[in-house]
């Protein structure tokens, strides 16, 4: 069971975890031990609240397929248990990031002093550039 928040939990049968062989460097251990983890989580078929599902499906994330299946591959650690924990933690982080509410932007106006400073800098820069012309003899 994966606890997302105080009210929301995911049952173990909703998360499909399979063992695969890790890729990359690691010598003989990589070749003979299936220590990497492939985690699959079906968003539409899950017991998540509708708000969570909508926000997750609206995410533009490469780990979420068009059908709404989250696929996470964890192979950072040498042991299967650590990779399993890492995959579950990444799934939890993805769900929490999706449901985080963003603060709305309050439009502001530049102050009169900042506008004046900007124009003064522009005129000074223009004068400097004007002095770079050909020298009259």
């Amino acid at each position: 069971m994966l606890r997302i928040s105080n009210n929301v939990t995911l049952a173990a049968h909703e998360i499909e975890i399979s063992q695969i062989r890790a890729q990359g460097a690691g010598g003989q251990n990589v070749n003979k031990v299936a220590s990497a983890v492939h985690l699959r989580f079906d968003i539409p078929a899950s017991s998540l609240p509708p708000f969570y599902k909508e926000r997750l499906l609206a995410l533009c994330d490469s780990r979420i397929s068009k059908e709404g299946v989250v696929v996470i591959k964890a192979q950072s650690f040498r042991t299967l248990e650590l990779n399993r924990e890492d995959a579950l933690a990444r799934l939890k982080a993805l769900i929490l990031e999706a449901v985080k509410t963003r603060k709305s932007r309050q439009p502001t106006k530049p102050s009169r002093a900042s506008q004046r400073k900007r124009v003064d800098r522009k005129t000074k820069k223009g004068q400097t550039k004007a002095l770079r012309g050909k020298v009259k003899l």
Side-chain angles (χ1 to χ4, degrees):
M1 183 151 88
L2 179 66
R3 180 173 293 280
I4 305 298
S5 67
N6 292 339
N7 309 357
V8 181
T9 57
L10 291 176
H13 65 85
E14 295 183 70
I15 302 169
E16 179 188 327
I17 296 178
S18 56
Q19 301 175 30
I20 56 171
R21 283 200 184 145
Q23 295 175 326
Q28 191 173 354
N29 190 61
V30 170
N31 298 332
K32 67 179 187 175
V33 179
S35 61
V37 168
H38 223 150
L39 180 142
R40 294 176 63 83
F41 175 66
D42 192 6
I43 298 168
S46 70
S47 64
L48 284 174
F51 172 72
Y52 280 65
K53 289 181 185 181
E54 289 171 15
R55 296 293 289 267
L56 271 171
L57 292 171
L59 272 182
C60 290
D61 197 309
S62 61
R63 296 173 289 186
I64 302 174
S65 68
K66 292 176 186 171
E67 294 81 30
V69 177
V70 178
V71 178
I72 295 176
K73 183 178 181 182
Q75 61 179 9
S76 302
F77 301 99
R78 280 180 67 99
T79 62
L80 180 68
E81 293 78 24
L82 287 176
N83 282 328
R84 183 178 288 136
E85 289 175 18
D86 181 39
L88 290 171
R90 285 165 44 192
L91 176 65
K92 181 178 178 178
L94 177 70
I95 294 171
L96 289 175
E97 184 65 32
V99 297
K100 193 186 297 182
T101 54
R102 300 325 184 256
K103 194 172 126 181
S104 62
R105 183 186 176 278
Q106 297 293 324
T108 58
K109 218 178 189 180
S111 66
R112 186 166 282 162
S114 70
Q115 288 176 348
R116 192 174 297 120
K117 274 189 211 173
R118 183 179 146 272
V119 172
D120 290 345
R121 274 198 308 265
K122 283 172 71 78
T123 54
K124 188 175 178 184
K125 190 75 159 173
Q127 290 169 353
T128 306
K129 287 185 172 191
L131 293 172
R132 293 181 190 160
K134 290 194 175 194
V135 179
K136 294 179 184 175
L137 297 176

